[in-house]
Amino acid sequence: DAWLHSAGASLWIDGKHISTISEERLSREKYDGSFPNLSIDYVLEDCDLVRDDIDIVTYTQNVHSPTRLDNIQTILKREFPNSEVRFVDHHQAHACATFFTSPFERASILSFDGSGNSYPVCSDAVGFETGLYAIGDKTDGLCVMYHSINGLKKEMTFNLGQVYNNISRWCYTQMEQEAATKIDNMYVFMETAPGKIMGLAAYGDKTKVDLPNLFGVNDDRFYFPYVYDKHMPSDKEMGKYDAEDIAAWCQGQFEDTVVEFFKILNHKEKYLCIGGGCGLNVLTNARLLNEGLFEDIHVFPAANDSGLCFGGAIYEVFKEEKELIVPDYLGFLGREYDEKDIREALK
């Protein structure tokens, strides 16, 4: 399970993007997290390359991989015997994917999701990175100003994605109990449920929910605000309300917290790039624009973990190459197909 979900491969040559694909598009298994053999073959075939031709392989970490780096490196060296293996931080990959595909030369960057890398907090506890805030400059790269922690150090959390995910799964189970019971992989469930809650929120009324606020934003930790969890409601507490009202309430809490964070934050640019699974929350992104906090916002289309292979690759490409050549159409990163290919597929 070190591979988790949403595996894929991205190929770059001399600073130019060649193609990127998610394993699920080829295996037809939603959120496929197995070793991306199909994806690797797909991107290599596009250039008549084989695995022995690859110079650098990057692997973007997740919650399991920091404790298994030796095993992962062994597998990658076996598959790519002539390559150097490099590991990229989870949120760094999300941040690079959105910033280096943006039209901005300089911008604020926020990456946040359920969890990124893990790390030991003490002998019997593990923490998780849940977000990153940085200033990006296309000459200098990223200056990471805030790397969140969700572990024993509660004052440093930026745990919006994980809380949103937990409540999403509760709502999904209430509305689609039969479908929910069929999902036996917790990581697939984490990908399935949150995308539903935004749509469900439109049918609910957040004012009907009388529960403590989920989050607080504190601005007295040196010069940088941080978000902390105030109260995670129990199933019994949420069970007093309709699922659509809980969805509306959770969505409202999420939006309000992100907006408050940026209102307090002094160290920000006029543009914002958003990455991580939470970057797909279009209602929150629209609020940030409507509040006038930024002149414009860029979100990489594969903001969630399906874009990690692209983000990890572009991070290393920026370090190695003098020029980045990014495709114009970020929603279409796979191979190009001519009319003959299309006709064959139709047959």
Side-chain angles (χ1 to χ4, degrees), residues 20-128:
T20 300
I21 191 76
S22 293
E23 190 74 1
E24 68 169 24
R25 301 304 176 100
L26 304 171
S27 69
R28 314 310 295 170
E29 179 182 338
K30 193 67 174 169
Y31 307 121
D32 193 343
S34 56
F35 187 82
N37 273 309
L38 297 175
S39 300
I40 293 167
D41 291 341
Y42 175 96
V43 298
L44 291 177
E45 286 170 4
D46 201 21
C47 294
D48 294 322
L49 296 175
V50 295
R51 299 186 186 197
D52 288 1
D53 296 325
I54 301 302
D55 298 318
I56 298 173
V57 172
T58 66
Y59 175 80
T60 303
Q61 299 184 58
N62 56 47
V63 294
H64 289 330
S65 54
T67 61
R68 304 174 183 180
L69 294 185
D70 288 344
N71 290 337
I72 294 170
Q73 179 156 341
T74 297
I75 293 170
L76 293 177
K77 285 296 291 182
R78 181 192 69 202
E79 297 295 322
F80 301 92
N82 298 324
S83 70
E84 178 186 351
V85 176
R86 299 180 184 178
F87 294 97
V88 180
D89 177 90
H90 186 100
H91 285 287
Q92 192 100 344
H94 278 318
C96 288
T98 188
F99 175 62
F100 288 118
T101 58
S102 76
F104 315 133
E105 288 300 313
R106 186 175 173 89
S108 290
I109 308 169
L110 176 66
S111 168
F112 61 139
D113 57 20
S115 59
N117 293 13
S118 64
Y119 56 91
V121 176
C122 59
S123 60
D124 59 349
V126 174
F128 303 98

Side-chain angles (χ1 to χ4, degrees), residues 236-291:
K236 183 178 179 180
E237 287 177 302
M238 291 189 289
K240 299 176 183 178
Y241 305 98
D242 293 335
E244 54 265 38
D245 294 331
I246 289 291
W249 171 75
C250 179
Q251 175 65 32
Q253 294 270 310
F254 184 91
E255 292 177 25
D256 292 344
T257 303
V258 176
V259 168
E260 185 179 356
F261 171 80
F262 278 116
K263 282 184 175 179
I264 294 173
L265 180 65
N266 291 321
H267 300 266
K268 59 177 179 283
E269 301 294 316
K270 62 181 180 179
Y271 301 117
L272 173 66
C273 297
I274 302 179
C278 293
L280 298 176
N281 196 303
V282 296
L283 299 178
T284 301
N285 300 344
R287 274 281 304 274
L288 291 171
L289 278 178
N290 293 336
E291 295 275 350

Side-chain angles (χ1 to χ4, degrees), residues 130-157:
T130 52
L132 174 149
Y133 177 76
I135 301 295
D137 186 297
K138 288 185 176 173
T139 300
D140 298 328
L142 306 185
C143 172
V144 176
M145 305 184 70
Y146 178 93
H147 216 147
S148 69
I149 297 173
N150 174 31
L152 299 182
K153 299 179 179 179
K154 289 297 183 183
E155 76 276 7
M156 289 293 286
T157 63

Side-chain angles (χ1 to χ4, degrees), residues 109-322:
I109 308 169
L110 176 66
S111 168
F112 61 139
D113 57 20
S115 59
N117 293 13
S118 64
Y119 56 91
V121 176
C122 59
S123 60
D124 59 349
V126 174
F128 303 98
E129 296 172 354
T130 52
L132 174 149
Y133 177 76
I135 301 295
D137 186 297
K138 288 185 176 173
T139 300
D140 298 328
L142 306 185
C143 172
V144 176
M145 305 184 70
Y146 178 93
H147 216 147
S148 69
I149 297 173
N150 174 31
L152 299 182
K153 299 179 179 179
K154 289 297 183 183
E155 76 276 7
M156 289 293 286
T157 63
F158 198 96
N159 202 22
L160 288 89
Q162 202 167 86
V163 172
Y164 193 95
N165 202 313
N166 291 338
I167 295 177
S168 297
R169 281 180 279 172
W170 181 87
C171 292
Y172 186 77
T173 302
Q174 301 304 304
M175 302 297 291
E176 296 287 345
Q177 187 172 9
E178 184 178 350
T181 56
K182 291 180 179 178
I183 304 175
D184 56 2
N185 185 319
M186 65 174 291
Y187 300 108
V188 170
F189 204 176
M190 288 168 61
E191 289 291 295
T192 302
K196 314 292 184 184
I197 199 170
M198 256 194 315
L200 183 61
Y203 294 90
D205 182 354
K206 66 181 181 180
T207 64
K208 292 182 178 179
V209 178
D210 184 19
L211 289 172
N213 289 337
L214 290 170
F215 310 102
V217 182
N218 198 323
D219 65 347
D220 63 359
R221 187 175 177 82
F222 301 108
Y223 60 89
F224 208 87
Y226 63 93
V227 177
Y228 61 94
D229 308 345
K230 291 188 70 173
H231 177 76
M232 178 63 199
S234 65
D235 291 355
K236 183 178 179 180
E237 287 177 302
M238 291 189 289
K240 299 176 183 178
Y241 305 98
D242 293 335
E244 54 265 38
D245 294 331
I246 289 291
W249 171 75
C250 179
Q251 175 65 32
Q253 294 270 310
F254 184 91
E255 292 177 25
D256 292 344
T257 303
V258 176
V259 168
E260 185 179 356
F261 171 80
F262 278 116
K263 282 184 175 179
I264 294 173
L265 180 65
N266 291 321
H267 300 266
K268 59 177 179 283
E269 301 294 316
K270 62 181 180 179
Y271 301 117
L272 173 66
C273 297
I274 302 179
C278 293
L280 298 176
N281 196 303
V282 296
L283 299 178
T284 301
N285 300 344
R287 274 281 304 274
L288 291 171
L289 278 178
N290 293 336
E291 295 275 350
L293 292 167
F294 298 95
E295 291 186 16
D296 202 358
I297 294 176
H298 172 78
V299 183
F300 179 58
N304 64 355
D305 284 3
S306 64
L308 284 177
C309 59
F310 181 95
I314 204 172
Y315 171 77
E316 292 294 344
V317 171
F318 173 77
K319 292 197 306 182
E320 294 290 329
E321 306 292 345
K322 294 180 179 179

